[in-house]
Each structure stands twice: as C-alpha cells, then as structure tokens.
Amino acid sequence: MSGTSGARIAYQPALDGVRALAVAAVLAFHGGVAALPGGFLGVDAFFVLSGFLITSLLLAEHRETGRIDLVAFWGRRLRRLLPALLLVLVVVLLVSRRLMPGTELGALRWDELAALGYVANWRMANRDGDYFTATGSPSPLQHTWSLGIEEQFYLLWPLLLIALLAWAARRGTATPGRRLGAALPVVLLGAAGSALAAAARFTPDALDRVYYGTDTRAVALLVGAALALLLARRSTAATTRPARHRVLGALAVAGAAVTAWCWATADGGDAWLYRGGLTVAALAVAAVIGHAVVSPASPTARLLALAPLVWLGRISYGVYLWHWPLFQWLTAGRTGLTGIALIAARCAVTLAVATGSYLLVERPIRQARRLPRPAPALAGTAVAGVAAVAVLGTVPPAPPPNPAIALDAPSPTAGAPTAVPPVQRPGRRPGPPRITFLGDSVSWSLGTYLPEQEKLTVSVRAVQGCGIARLPEVRYVGDPHPNYPGCEHWDDRWRKGVRADDPDVAVILLDRWELMDRRLDGRWQHVGEPAYDRYLAGELDRAVDIASTRGTHVTLLTAPYTRRAERPDGGLWPEDDPARVDAWNRLVRAAADRHHATVLDLNRRACPEGRFTWEAGGVRVRSDGLHFTPEGVQRWIAPWLLPQLYRLAVRGA
C-alpha cells in the first residue's frame, strides 16, 4: 500500500477481507436481515481499520523520511475518496429531483452540502430542525455521516501525530520504539475520553447527538491508531516470540466471537453501546486485525484473504457509497419485490454500480501516474461545481397556478356532506365564514396548503406530532417512541385555539398517532381491538366536544391510507396497515353519528382507487406517504373540500 511521498506498507489481503465483512454487515442491516440487527457496527469496523491504516502509513513515512508531508497526505485522501463521492452526489441530486416532492428538496440541499464538506455527521445529528424533517423519510445521503467522521480524522489526526512525535523527541526519547511508546498513552487517553464522552452524553433524547458526534464516535478510530502504534513499536524491537503469536491468536478468536455477538444482538438505541459497548466492539475488531497483520499465514489471515472477500473489500468504498441511496430508491412499491428477493435485487444492483464506479472512476484516478498539473485547482473547481448544482438543483420548480375554486358550486356526489340542520350562533364575531383545522401534522399539512379565499378565512390549530391518544408508551416503525412534549395536554391546546378563532366550522383530521401500537392495561394494543377502541372513542368524544364549543359545527375527515415507511424487507409497518385505517375511520363515523357531526370522506378523495397512491387527479398528493403536498392540496383536495366547508360555514353563519 502506498503512503505519502513514496512511503509504503505491505499489502495485506486480509484487511480487504475485514472491509468486505464490514460492508456486508451494513448491507444486511439496511436490508432488514433479522439475524444481524447490529450490522450497523460494520461502520465501526471501518473506523478501526481506517485508524490503523492511516496511522501505519503516516508512521511509515515518518520512519523513512523523518517527516510527514501533510499536503501530499491530504491530496492522496482526496484523490482516493472525492471522485466517487462527487459522482454519488450528482446522481442523488438528479434522481431525487424526480422522485422527491419539492417540499423535501430544501433538506436535501443541506444534506448535499454537508456531505460535500465532510460534516454530514453534524448535519444528521441536528437534522431535526423542524417536525417534518425530523420525522421524514431518511435522507438518501444519511450514510455519509461516517465519511464525515473519517475525513475529519484524516484532517486532524496527522497534525496531532506530528505533535506527539515531536513532543516525544523533545523529551529526549532516543529510539523510535520509545518515541512511539511515549505517544501511545496519549492516544489511549483520547480513546478513553471519547468513550467517556459518549457515556456522559447518552440519553434516549440525545441518541442522535451521541451516535453521529465526532467526539463520541472517535473511539474506534483511535483504537485503530493505537493498534498501529503498538505494531510499529513491535517492528522496531526484537522479533515476537511464537508464544506471543498464540496469545494474539487467542485474542483474535475472542475478538471474532465478540464481534459476531455484537452484530447479532446490538440495537442502535441500546444504552450499553454508548456506555462501553462501542469501545469493546472496537477492541474486538482490533484484535482480529492485529493477528491478521502480525501472522499473515495464520487461519485468521487466510480466511479473511479468501478471493471473494478480497474482491468485495476492494470495491467496499463504492458499495458503501451507493448502497444507501439505491436501497432507498429500489423500494417494494417500485420493484414489486419483498423479503429475500428485494434484498437480493438491491445488493445485486449495488454491486454492479459499485464495480462500475471502481473500474471507471476510482481506480483510474487513483492509479494515474500523472494528473493535470493544477490538480488542487481542478479538485476545488469540481467541488464548487457540485456545490452549485446542489444549490440550484434543489430549487423546486414553480408550481402551476392554482385552479379557481367556486365556493358556491353544487355539492359533489362523492363524499358529499350529510344533511345538517342550520346552526344559529348568537354572539358570532362579524366577518367572512371561518374554518379552523384541528388534529395532527397531516391536518396541519392540509390546512396550511389550502389556497387563500376571499369569501372564507382558514386557520390552522393542528399540532404537529400530537394526536389525541396520549398513552405514553408508543411503538413507531418498530421502535419505542415517546409522545412529543405537550401532547398529553392536546385538549387544552385545542380549547385555546377554538376560543381564539371562534370558527363556524371546526375540521378534525387525525391519522398516524391513533394507528400506532400503544401499551394499554399492561399490553400492546392498537385500533381495531375492543379495549383500545373504547379508549380512542372516549378521546374522540372529548375532541368533538371541544371543537363544538359555542355552537361550532364539527366536520370529521376520514384518514387516508398511508405508506409512511417500508420495513427494510419491503413490508409495511403495522401503522400503515389499511385495516387499521379502516378501523379508525369506523370510529370516526360512529363519533359523527353520536355528535351529529359531518363526515367527509377524505380517504376516498386522496385514494380514489381504494388503496394507497402517491398521485391522484394527475398530481402528486402525498409528500412522504403520509402528509399532503402543496400542489396536491391546492389542485386536487381544495376544489373538492373548500366548497363543502363553505356551505357548512354559511349555513351556521
């Protein structure tokens, strides 16, 4: 393996095998392979290996030349990593403009720029700037967080290593081995500090900060760096005795067992991971790497050097770069595949694309003996060009003008409101009829995107992230999820909104939060089960009572079918089950009958074919499988909904 300025370390095929197993674990995890719930720790294996290799290259250069050429080192890193990343960023942008709704392009712009600047980990740690981003579909660039941590390591670690070696030399440490020995405690102290930072910062609410933070995840990189220092110090001393090889072999076996156990049992939200588990996982991988390097003829090294693993390891960077966006695009809905067939198709396409990237982009640039003379300027131009494309390419196209809506149009036959006696409200404030939307973020997206009308005033009091079910233990996309702060007092918030707006018609739309599993009477239950239905009916009665204050007429909208997120194997999460939506809508209709309210069948309008669909009436109606798009509301929902609400409001005015 070439270092900088001609420095080299011996090529070890087994290290490509480590790369292969690490990337295979990540693919299995993202593909929903149940046997590897901890496959995400393959990223930590990459970290350990990167820390080891980079430190070994830097030490080899220092040993051969007495110095470390930082410019050459950083240039090699960019030459190795940047071209493929730029290609991925451009392709992600082009595909996302076609597949993503315009409302999500703004978040993608910042994801692209963060990936380009190698700070994606901090972007992902703080991507919850608003509710829709925090709960939205995963970014097609979410996986670039690990590239950010590695590149930050490549930038800072050589500077620190130079300082450590200089400090050891100034202390009068004569031999190279002793200099490395003096630097080693500092590196170990840094690894311990990173582990302690993760333990100190970890809480369930701070999981993203700990998972993505450079300071809390640097432990694996520093463990790899410490291993390189140990082995470099050993190479300056006498040959290791065979007994020590046997000790390393035993440690490697133990390390492989611990790694397998972690990959087979860990969950990303487990507290033990951040309270020492990540450190143990890093040490386990380091034991395997150390034995493979010290004993290249050992069973450890021979197994890791099997030809298929070496081949996968060589293209592992491209596999990692391409797999996540490809997995996001090759969904069950688009491919018609689920389970093993889906993951097989995803992996096959990923391997094909990564192989093409390696042969046509990565290897030619990496092996080119001569690049254009102004290579840094060329790289800077390429980065600036992609940044400009990211900014300009994520500007959503201008929507077509909204259609004119005749509020006094005849009532449509489909989903027409039921007959309601006229309501006279004494003391009503003067002005045009007023409509207030109540509910959760789905109601928020509907009410907010309605086009303004001269004859009608619309206000939105829906609360993002809050339904009416307030049981605290919730399961969302298979994982525990707390209620958002304040949701337990949704009734007080609704009451204040209705009092402030004094609407003629209060529109209630509730969806996601009533469809999830919640713990009731000591067990997980959901809509459609008798005990849970009784609980929801009581909350729904309270909601209608609050909305009908001062004689306000209540209109209940049925919940549309959803496709919020696919399981990794392509199946639906329970809260996207159409049967649950149907069960909830039956409760909605029953509540309307009890309270003499109106029901409008929004589900039929948004899903005219009787099943979930992204488009209706020739426009994209759903942005993320749950919320509405502005164009879908303005061009398809509003012409159907607003005239009906207007008639109800005028009747009660």
Side-chain angles (χ1 to χ4, degrees):
M1 264 174 226
S2 295
T4 56
S5 301
R8 300 181 66 86
I9 60 175
Y11 170 65
Q12 297 276 355
L15 299 186
D16 275 330
V18 174
R19 289 190 182 96
L21 293 177
V23 79
V26 172
L27 263 63
F29 171 71
H30 287 151
V33 176
L36 286 177
F40 62 91
L41 291 172
V43 172
D44 291 76
F46 275 120
F47 285 168
V48 176
L49 185 58
S50 292
F52 170 74
L53 286 174
I54 292 304
T55 305
S56 298
L57 287 168
L58 293 171
L59 292 176
E61 180 183 1
H62 190 270
R63 183 173 59 250
E64 294 179 16
T65 67
R67 60 188 293 271
I68 294 175
D69 187 339
L70 290 175
V71 174
F73 169 78
W74 290 328
R76 285 185 63 84
R77 290 299 90 203
L78 288 177
R79 184 172 170 178
R80 168 71 179 89
L81 302 174
L82 188 60
L85 176 63
L86 294 179
L87 178 61
V88 169
L89 294 179
V90 171
V91 172
V92 165
L93 181 63
L94 294 176
V95 175
S96 296
R97 275 193 64 87
R98 179 175 180 82
L99 298 182
M100 271 188 175
T103 52
E104 295 186 12
L105 290 177
L108 178 64
R109 176 188 308 132
W110 292 109
D111 295 343
E112 289 256 346
L113 295 177
L116 195 59
Y118 288 106
V119 291
N121 61 311
W122 295 113
R123 163 66 177 162
M124 298 305 159
N126 298 281
R127 200 172 181 262
D128 56 350
D130 61 72
Y131 173 77
F132 289 97
T133 299
T135 62
S137 302
S139 166
L141 297 174
Q142 180 172 302
H143 66 313
T144 59
W145 71 270
S146 64
L147 306 183
I149 290 180
E150 288 210 12
E151 199 67 25
Q152 292 159 39
F153 175 77
Y154 299 155
L155 177 65
L156 298 176
W157 172 236
L159 298 172
L160 180 58
L161 183 60
I162 290 172
L164 287 174
L165 294 174
W167 168 73
R170 283 198 301 270
R171 290 184 61 201
T173 307
T175 65
R178 290 185 176 179
R179 291 176 188 171
L180 297 177
L184 182 59
V186 179
V187 178
L188 293 176
L189 185 63
S194 176
L196 290 173
R201 284 184 174 273
F202 175 77
T203 64
D205 292 337
L207 178 59
D208 282 355
R209 169 61 180 83
V210 178
Y211 188 85
Y212 293 118
T214 306
D215 53 342
T216 50
R217 296 304 295 274
V219 57
L221 288 158
L222 293 174
V223 164
L227 176 64
L229 286 167
L230 277 171
L231 296 188
R233 185 185 180 195
R234 163 192 166 275
S235 68
T236 65
T239 303
T240 304
R241 293 192 296 270
R244 294 185 180 177
H245 281 264
R246 289 194 292 272
V247 172
L248 281 175
L251 289 175
V253 171
V258 170
T259 299
W261 180 82
C262 288
W263 289 4
T265 61
D267 181 274
D270 287 340
W272 65 266
L273 275 177
Y274 309 100
R275 293 170 180 162
L278 291 175
T279 305
V280 172
L283 291 171
V285 173
V288 175
I289 293 173
H291 187 232
V293 170
V294 171
S295 303
S298 67
T300 301
R302 289 201 302 269
L303 285 173
L304 291 172
L306 292 174
L309 292 179
V310 172
W311 170 77
L312 180 58
R314 286 180 178 173
I315 65 170
S316 59
Y317 177 59
V319 170
Y320 184 81
L321 272 180
W322 286 103
H323 91 279
W324 180 251
L326 287 172
F327 276 33
Q328 296 297 299
W329 299 333
L330 298 174
T331 63
R334 294 190 180 105
T335 64
L337 303 174
T338 58
I340 295 175
L342 179 60
I343 188 174
R346 286 170 165 172
C347 289
V349 173
T350 298
L351 292 176
V353 173
T355 300
S357 173
Y358 177 76
L359 295 177
L360 301 177
V361 178
E362 298 170 55
R363 191 172 68 175
I365 294 177
R366 188 179 179 186
Q367 294 182 348
R369 291 184 176 274
R370 296 188 64 182
L371 291 176
R373 177 67 65 179
L378 184 62
T381 301
V383 170
V386 173
V389 170
V391 172
L392 298 177
T394 50
V395 176
N402 294 325
I405 298 176
L407 295 180
D408 52 358
S411 175
T413 57
T418 58
V420 179
V423 177
Q424 301 298 326
R425 295 201 304 120
R428 178 189 181 278
R429 295 201 304 263
R434 293 184 291 273
I435 309 293
T436 292
F437 278 79
L438 302 168
D440 54 20
S441 59
V442 181
S443 180
W444 185 94
S445 68
L446 175 57
T448 299
Y449 299 147
L450 286 172
E452 293 185 3
Q453 303 293 316
E454 292 183 1
K455 298 180 179 180
L456 198 63
T457 299
V458 175
S459 60
V460 180
R461 298 289 179 172
V463 183
Q464 298 174 20
C466 294
I468 58 174
R470 47 184 134 197
L471 296 170
E473 295 182 80
V474 189
R475 276 200 303 227
Y476 175 60
V477 294
D479 293 321
H481 193 294
N483 285 323
Y484 285 103
C487 288
E488 67 274 17
H489 303 302
W490 66 264
D491 44 357
D492 293 335
R493 300 166 79 169
W494 283 33
R495 194 174 287 111
K496 292 177 181 177
V498 172
R499 188 183 305 123
D501 294 347
D502 188 25
D504 299 293
V505 176
V507 181
I508 297 176
L509 172 58
L510 295 158
D511 198 314
R512 194 65 166 181
W513 297 99
E514 280 56 63
L515 305 181
M516 298 178 191
D517 291 340
R518 293 179 185 255
R519 192 180 292 276
L520 175 66
D521 298 332
R523 67 182 184 88
W524 292 102
Q525 300 190 50
H526 58 79
V527 64
E529 298 185 54
Y532 197 74
D533 282 355
R534 287 192 295 271
Y535 166 75
L536 284 178
E539 294 290 82
L540 194 51
D541 286 341
R542 182 176 290 106
V544 176
D545 287 340
I546 293 170
S548 60
T549 303
R550 293 175 55 84
T552 298
H553 181 70
V554 177
T555 296
L556 294 164
L557 301 181
T558 59
Y561 297 126
T562 61
R563 186 68 60 86
R564 185 67 184 84
E566 287 184 356
R567 293 201 313 259
D569 64 0
L572 292 178
W573 292 106
E575 50 267 32
D576 284 318
D577 184 353
R580 291 199 183 187
V581 178
D582 292 339
W584 167 250
N585 287 337
R586 286 194 293 271
L587 293 180
V588 167
R589 295 182 185 279
D593 290 341
R594 290 193 300 273
H595 294 271
H596 307 290
T598 299
V599 175
L600 297 180
D601 197 354
L602 179 62
N603 187 27
R604 184 175 178 181
R605 183 67 174 181
C607 306
E609 299 177 5
R611 58 181 176 82
F612 172 82
T613 180
W614 293 98
E615 296 184 354
V619 296
R620 179 158 179 160
V621 178
R622 316 294 273 282
S623 63
D624 53 12
L626 177 64
H627 303 99
F628 292 106
T629 63
E631 61 270 27
V633 171
Q634 294 162 5
R635 300 183 62 80
W636 180 246
I637 304 294
W640 164 83
L641 179 62
L642 283 179
Q644 301 183 76
L645 297 180
Y646 177 74
R647 284 191 296 273
L648 291 171
V650 169
R651 181 178 300 170

